[in-house]
């Protein structure tokens, strides 16, 4: 065993349950091998975490912005010092490869977002000063924030939730996904090297713990990234205590390729917009609308690029795509692709998983000549299968893109940026990208429209919500 893997195992041992305490084995979705044992926390551990957070929060808030920023920068340094170990845990547990926009990228983004939160300034704002009246708007911490995270980007989204909450003077109780608890527990163990005791605690419990967080009177706000169905349940559960909420919920992002686009020039961007993290990204491109004049050319260029991107076990350095993280998600993707095939749609690439291969690998799949009402288009597949729909007029494309109840992201692809912006202005989504898809930045506000949630994250606007 090499030194890095030994260090990774050492970190996994540090977060494992003590002898006699309940635990759950976590398996590698690429190989089926054991990654580690995660603790199984319950309501007692949650109550202890909330009590510790409430005790630690007043002093943290009183420390002021400068001291809190220094601690966040120190946390970023700790993440960087442990980056390779964290990336290997993430790759083994979540399945994403080390290289490309994957595990090492995600760990690096954690450090970058911690530093961005530390550097973002939110000053008191004078909203009225007319010689008679002066009104100044101040932003105060809420107290204790509950952060409920997903399994697709478990480390990065945890930092998206935790870093700004800490920057504003809050304490945080984190509930990681049951699919990826080790990644979050390891990350927070590293980050906590730079933070006061009790300020941030992970409670690796089941749905009972998540439900208790959303209803607990000691938690003033919940941040959640996940499905729309779970988001609605959180809204209902939080109503009695009138919690503040930031919800980043399901999406089924549309991309529109205008007839003046260059198929060869946009193929790489389209591919990574759709297939980053093997399609397991909330704001990934999940349905592509291409004008009939260049439809065949776009299909051909995209298929050629996609066929060359290697998929396999994440710890193998050459791979850029990995498995689906869990069996349930694999079955969703397989079901939707089979429905598309049964409808007569044309599979340009993939669609033929090797059932004898270990792990939850579903091949990169492109499906053309598919009806807009097909389940692969109308339902969020959250995996490596992209439907490509032909359209005749821009009005038709916009209508189809806006036709679903979700609206997290969207994109427009064109050689004419002014024309692309005009089309973008008609799309119902929280973020619309031009000639890209899913690109986020710590200073650019991010949030959903329609059933894709509400509240904003990132930058100054994100701090205002905490």
């Amino acid at each position: 065993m090499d030194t890095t893997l030994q260090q990774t195992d050492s970190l996994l041992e540090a977060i494992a349950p003590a002898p006699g305490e309940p635990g759950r084995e976590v398996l590698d979705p690429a190989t089926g091998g054991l990654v580690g044992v995660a603790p199984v926390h319950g309501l007692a551990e949650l109550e202890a975490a909330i009590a510790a957070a409430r005790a630690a929060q007043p002093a943290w808030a009183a420390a002021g912005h400068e001291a809190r920023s220094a601690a966040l920068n120190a946390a970023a340094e700790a993440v960087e010092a442990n980056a390779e170990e964290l990336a290997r845990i993430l790759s083994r547990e979540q399945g994403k490869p080390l290289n490309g926009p994957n595990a090492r990228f995600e760990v690096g983004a954690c450090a970058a977002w911690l530093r961005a939160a530390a550097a973002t300034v939110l000053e008191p704002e004078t909203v009225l000063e007319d010689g008679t009246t002066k009104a100044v708007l101040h932003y105060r911490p809420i107290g204790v924030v509950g952060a409920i995270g997903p399994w697709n980007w478990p480390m990065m989204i945890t930092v998206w939730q935790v870093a700004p909450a800490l920057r504003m003077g809050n304490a945080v109780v984190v509930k990681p996904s049951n699919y990826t608890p080790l990644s979050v527990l390891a990350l927070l163990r590293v980050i906590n090297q730079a933070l006061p005791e009790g300020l941030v605690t992970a409670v690796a419990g089941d749905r009972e713990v998540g439900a208790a967080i959303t209803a607990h009177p000691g938690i003033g706000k919940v941040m959640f990234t996940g499905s729309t169905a779970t988001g609605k349940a959180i809204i209902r559960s939080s109503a009695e205590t009138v919690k503040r909420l930031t919800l980043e919920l399901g999406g089924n992002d549309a991309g529109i390729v205008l007839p003046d686009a260059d198929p060869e020039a946009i193929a790489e961007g389209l591919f990574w917009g759709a297939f980053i993290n093997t399609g397991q990204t909330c704001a990934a491109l999940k349905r592509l609308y291409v004008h009939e004049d260049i439809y065949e050319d776009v299909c051909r260029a995209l298929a050629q690029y996609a066929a060359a991107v290697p998929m396999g076990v994440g710890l193998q350095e050459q791979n850029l795509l990995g498995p689906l993280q869990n069996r349930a998600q694999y079955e969703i993707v397989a079901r939707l692709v089979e429905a598309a095939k049964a409808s007569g749609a044309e599979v340009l690439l993939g669609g033929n998983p090797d059932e004898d291969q270990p792990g939850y690998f579903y091949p990169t799949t492109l499906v053309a000549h598919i009806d807009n009402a097909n389940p692969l288009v109308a339902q969020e597949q959250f995996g490596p299968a992209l439907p490509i729909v032909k359209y005749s007029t821009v009005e038709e494309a916009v209508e189809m893109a806006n036709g679903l109840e979700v609206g997290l992201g969207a994109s427009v692809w064109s050689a004419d940026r002014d024309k692309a912006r005009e089309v973008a202005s008609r799309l119902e989504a929280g973020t619309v990208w031009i000639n890209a898809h899913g690109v986020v930045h710590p200073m650019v506000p991010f949030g959903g429209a329609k059933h894709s949630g509400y509240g904003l994250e990132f930058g100054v606007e994100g701090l205002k919500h905490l």
Side-chain angles (χ1 to χ4, degrees), residues 274-275 278-279 285-286 333 337 362-367 376 381-387:
F275 292 96
T278 316
L285 173 57
K286 299 188 176 77
V333 175
V337 173
Y362 197 93
T364 304
T365 299
L366 298 172
V367 182
L376 182 60
Q381 70 276 47
F382 215 70
L386 179 66

Side-chain angles (χ1 to χ4, degrees), residues 109 112-117 120 160 440-445 457-460 462:
W113 248 265
L114 285 162
R115 294 188 190 282
T120 302
W160 289 358
V440 294
H441 187 282
M443 294 308 297
V444 178
E457 299 176 89
F458 308 166
V460 172

Side-chain angles (χ1 to χ4, degrees), residues 28-31 84 87-88 90-100 102-104 311-323 361:
D28 186 333
T31 66
E84 187 64 12
R88 286 178 173 267
L90 177 60
S91 180
R92 293 167 67 193
E93 180 182 50
Q94 201 281 334
K96 63 184 64 181
L98 290 171
N99 291 320
N102 292 299
R104 289 175 177 139
M311 175 183 287
V313 176
L315 293 184
Q316 297 172 357
E317 297 278 351
Q318 75 274 15
N319 291 323
L320 297 177
L321 297 174
F361 287 98

Side-chain angles (χ1 to χ4, degrees), residues 30-48:
T31 66
L34 178 68
V35 180
V37 180
V40 178
H41 296 140
L43 296 181
E45 287 84 0
L46 175 62
E47 290 294 343

Side-chain angles (χ1 to χ4, degrees), residues 242-267:
V242 197
K243 282 183 175 41
R244 276 54 177 165
L245 299 175
T246 294
L247 304 174
E248 195 255 271
L249 306 180
N252 193 351
D253 289 12
I256 298 176
V257 179
L258 299 184
D260 65 356
D262 180 344
E264 298 290 339
I266 66 174

Side-chain angles (χ1 to χ4, degrees), residues 82-141:
N82 293 273
E84 187 64 12
E85 295 93 325
L86 291 172
R88 286 178 173 267
I89 291 173
L90 177 60
S91 180
R92 293 167 67 193
E93 180 182 50
Q94 201 281 334
K96 63 184 64 181
L98 290 171
N99 291 320
N102 292 299
R104 289 175 177 139
F105 166 84
E106 181 169 346
V107 174
C110 290
W113 248 265
L114 285 162
R115 294 188 190 282
T120 302
V121 177
L122 179 57
E123 299 286 0
E125 181 181 349
T126 299
V127 295
L128 175 64
E129 189 170 17
D130 62 3
T132 302
T133 302
K134 181 175 181 178
V136 180
L137 180 62
H138 294 264
Y139 294 90
R140 304 297 189 202

